[in-house]
Amino acid sequence: PLCDALGPNHRVVAPNLFGAGGTTPWPPHGRPQTLDDTAALVETAAKDALGDDDRAPIVVGHSHGAAVALRYAATREVAGIVVVEPNYMSLLEAAAPFDDRADEAARTGGVDDASAFLGRMMAEAQSGYHGWGECFHRFWLAEEESHTWAMVPEPQQKVLLDTTIPGCAYEIGSIDGARGHSSKRDLAAPQPLAAHP
């Protein structure tokens, strides 16, 4: 729907990330995937689609795509950036502390929650992803603490376990690998755009 809405007035390139659509999955036994790898994939897809048009793009991303958009904007020229619900959790770590105590408590709580989630997901990846369903569900999908993985209907569990969660393994690894200096750089890169009249 977003591509359709933008299409009449913009050239839209919507590349599939690794393992999605017709894009080759990340090799399972190679080095860990990074946000730089995925940003390079997006850059290549855009150049292939746009040919000689060398104008800086406006980069848009949601969830993991938003983390990729932030890395893209930090390492390449862009005309603008739009991110929606980035899963780039280490940005909480990289952000300057808030003056307001409640806001700072929420930020540090988010850092702790994200660190625990990333740690558990990476540990589960080492043991064959056995507990990923429950961990993924609790962090991303459960609307209430009492809503458990066991309550998710079996067909939905199968879809999550067969497609969504394995695809997230590399994404989660790239987010975990971006902690520290690179997340601080990515947080500092986007500059506010002037409002259009």
Side-chain angles (χ1 to χ4, degrees):
L2 181 60
C3 291
D4 294 339
L6 294 172
N9 300 310
H10 304 286
R11 292 183 72 185
V12 177
V13 178
N16 288 308
L17 302 185
F18 292 108
T23 306
T24 305
W26 188 258
H29 302 294
R31 67 174 174 74
Q33 178 185 335
T34 68
L35 288 173
D36 291 309
D37 295 322
T38 312
L41 172 83
V42 170
E43 180 179 44
T44 299
K47 284 181 179 178
D48 289 349
L50 299 175
D52 293 335
D53 188 345
D54 61 354
R55 292 177 291 172
I58 297 172
V59 183
V60 179
H62 171 256
S63 189
H64 186 65
V68 173
L70 285 165
R71 177 56 54 89
Y72 190 101
T75 57
R76 293 159 178 82
E77 183 181 353
V78 298
I81 181 170
V82 177
V83 295
V84 180
E85 299 177 330
N87 70 357
Y88 198 171
M89 298 163 207
S90 56
L91 292 178
L92 290 172
E93 226 170 28
F98 291 107
D99 292 332
D100 181 83
R101 290 175 67 166
D103 288 343
E104 180 58 11
R107 185 189 74 81
T108 57
V111 168
D112 293 345
D113 288 350
S115 294
F117 169 72
L118 289 170
R120 182 165 178 211
M121 293 298 272
M122 298 311 291
E124 292 291 344
Q126 300 302 314
S127 64
Y129 308 103
H130 181 33
W132 269 51
E134 180 181 346
C135 185
F136 184 90
H137 172 74
R138 184 175 305 277
F139 192 81
W140 289 113
L141 306 174
E143 294 178 12
E144 300 174 12
E145 191 69 32
S146 61
H147 193 237
T148 66
W149 174 247
M151 296 167 74
V152 175
E154 223 173 287
Q156 289 176 325
Q157 281 189 11
K158 182 166 177 34
V159 168
L160 285 168
L161 290 172
D162 291 348
T163 59
T164 305
I165 294 171
C168 289
Y170 298 113
E171 294 176 0
I172 289 168
S174 68
I175 296 300
D176 190 51
R179 296 176 80 176
H181 173 71
S182 63
S183 60
K184 288 181 180 176
R185 176 193 65 195
D186 294 349
L187 183 63
Q191 299 298 316
L193 298 176
H196 295 281

